[in-house]
Amino acid sequence: MASSDIAAILENSKELDRLRKDQEEILLEINKLHKKLQTTPEVVEKPGDNSLARLKVLYTQAKDLSDSEANISNLLISQLDAVLPPGPQGQPRRRIGKVCVTEGNEQRRKRVKTESDISRLTPSMRNQLEACAGLKGEQVAARVTPRNAEKDEWFVVKVIHFDKETKEFEVLDEEPGDDEDSSGQRQYKLPMGNIIPFPKSNDLSSAPDFPPGKHVLAVYPGTTALYKATVVHGHRKRKTDDYVLEFDDDEEDGSLPQRTVPFHKVVPMPEGHRP
């Protein structure tokens, strides 16, 4: 192995370490802004405030650093592949999640779920976890499988807790349907992919401007269940806080009635969803 090869690997390792330190600094700034906006959201209404513009800049920097980290990591892998001898190295490995672990290595497997592993996530992934943790106490749209149900359904639930290690939400269905086994509230543990946050009820700008004909999931009036619907009028065009929707399978007298739904009870149709 040439000394120049080792020097190049060490140099890229130093660059990788520098990128991670820069990411940590950006993340700290992002978290400070998040806290500021959560505690005093009205600050964005003040003339001259640049909180949102600053947040956008920080997210852009975080993405650029994350992309650079991925490029350097791929380069290091290529450099190591070039200098390592062919053939199997060490014990057989198997993949758990996104981390390769040695067969039978219990300590390594447990370490996958520790805070030290979380700290090595890219800024975008850490920000996603922080955003999920910030949903505690909020109502969200959740895909669940109720007892005795043949398929998944979407309900309005309240977030009780988000576990950053398992990436699972603990949620409460506060108003279970009449077909449930009991009239009491029900709790579920759901993965991140089963949760969609609603737009903030006090922030109309947080709601997407769905065009007419767009398919969405929306809370059917008078219920806590979400169903597939088609946008007839978006809230911005009508200059109101509501959408006008037509729900699938809501036929009355041979036609679909148009129903008004508040903007904070409508979410995008999940990719690949089949209601």
Side-chain angles (χ1 to χ4, degrees), residues 10-112:
L10 293 177
E11 187 63 30
N12 284 324
S13 297
K14 291 179 181 179
E15 176 65 10
L16 189 62
D17 186 56
R18 183 191 67 79
L19 288 170
R20 288 177 174 173
K21 289 179 179 178
D22 289 346
Q23 289 175 21
E24 291 294 337
E25 293 177 1
I26 294 294
L27 181 61
L28 286 175
E29 291 297 318
I30 289 175
N31 287 338
K32 287 179 182 178
L33 262 179
H34 281 176
K35 186 174 181 180
K36 174 184 175 182
L37 294 175
Q38 287 173 354
T39 55
T40 56
E42 66 277 3
V43 72
V44 298
E45 304 292 340
K46 295 181 179 180
D49 181 77
N50 66 342
S51 299
L52 296 181
R54 176 60 179 160
L55 192 60
K56 180 179 178 180
V57 170
L58 290 172
Y59 275 131
T60 301
Q61 292 175 340
K63 180 182 181 301
D64 291 342
L65 288 169
S66 180
D67 291 342
S68 297
E69 180 186 359
N71 291 335
I72 293 294
S73 296
N74 289 333
L75 180 58
L76 278 167
I77 291 173
S78 298
Q79 290 174 321
L80 289 170
D81 284 341
V83 298
L84 284 173
Q89 299 295 319
Q91 299 179 3
R93 293 175 178 264
R94 63 189 178 97
R95 184 171 293 276
I96 295 181
K98 294 187 177 180
V99 180
C100 286
V101 298
T102 303
E103 277 293 340
N105 191 338
E106 286 294 326
Q107 294 302 317
R108 181 70 179 273
R109 186 158 52 240
K110 290 177 181 178
R111 192 169 63 81
V112 171

Side-chain angles (χ1 to χ4, degrees), residues 23-24 69 116-126 129 164 167:
Q23 289 175 21
E24 291 294 337
E69 180 186 359
S116 60
D117 286 302
I118 293 176
S119 68
R120 287 197 294 272
L121 296 173
T122 63
S124 60
M125 295 175 67
R126 287 198 295 268
L129 293 180
K164 292 183 181 180
K167 300 180 179 62

Side-chain angles (χ1 to χ4, degrees), residues 63-263:
K63 180 182 181 301
D64 291 342
L65 288 169
S66 180
D67 291 342
S68 297
E69 180 186 359
N71 291 335
I72 293 294
S73 296
N74 289 333
L75 180 58
L76 278 167
I77 291 173
S78 298
Q79 290 174 321
L80 289 170
D81 284 341
V83 298
L84 284 173
Q89 299 295 319
Q91 299 179 3
R93 293 175 178 264
R94 63 189 178 97
R95 184 171 293 276
I96 295 181
K98 294 187 177 180
V99 180
C100 286
V101 298
T102 303
E103 277 293 340
N105 191 338
E106 286 294 326
Q107 294 302 317
R108 181 70 179 273
R109 186 158 52 240
K110 290 177 181 178
R111 192 169 63 81
V112 171
K113 294 185 177 181
T114 63
E115 286 296 327
S116 60
D117 286 302
I118 293 176
S119 68
R120 287 197 294 272
L121 296 173
T122 63
S124 60
M125 295 175 67
R126 287 198 295 268
N127 291 337
Q128 185 179 12
L129 293 180
E130 291 295 333
C132 289
L135 291 173
K136 182 178 179 180
E138 299 284 338
Q139 286 191 331
V140 297
R143 183 175 63 202
V144 301
T145 306
R147 291 182 180 179
N148 302 323
E150 296 181 356
K151 61 179 181 179
D152 292 347
E153 299 177 9
W154 286 88
F155 298 148
V156 177
V157 298
K158 181 179 180 180
V159 175
I160 301 174
H161 177 68
F162 175 71
D163 191 325
K164 292 183 181 180
E165 295 181 4
T166 63
K167 300 180 179 62
E168 284 187 329
F169 281 93
E170 186 176 349
V171 301
L172 178 66
D173 182 8
E174 299 178 282
E175 299 182 26
D178 297 335
D179 56 345
E180 292 286 343
D181 293 343
S182 66
S183 59
Q185 299 176 338
R186 299 191 60 82
Q187 292 188 18
Y188 299 92
K189 284 190 176 182
L190 304 172
M192 292 170 59
N194 283 35
I195 298 294
I196 304 178
F198 286 116
K200 297 292 185 182
S201 60
N202 60 350
D203 182 9
L204 183 59
S205 65
S206 66
D209 187 17
F210 296 118
K214 184 72 172 180
H215 290 156
V216 296
L217 279 179
V219 178
Y220 190 85
T223 75
T224 57
L226 290 93
Y227 299 96
K228 181 183 177 183
T230 303
V231 175
V232 179
H233 296 297
H235 65 84
R236 294 182 185 176
K237 185 175 181 179
R238 299 176 68 242
K239 297 182 180 180
T240 72
D241 295 350
D242 304 322
Y243 292 97
V244 175
L245 308 175
E246 290 180 348
F247 285 88
D248 286 16
D249 303 321
D250 191 28
E251 187 172 322
E252 290 183 359
D253 300 325
S255 62
L256 294 176
Q258 296 182 357
R259 302 192 184 276
T260 301
V261 180
F263 75 92

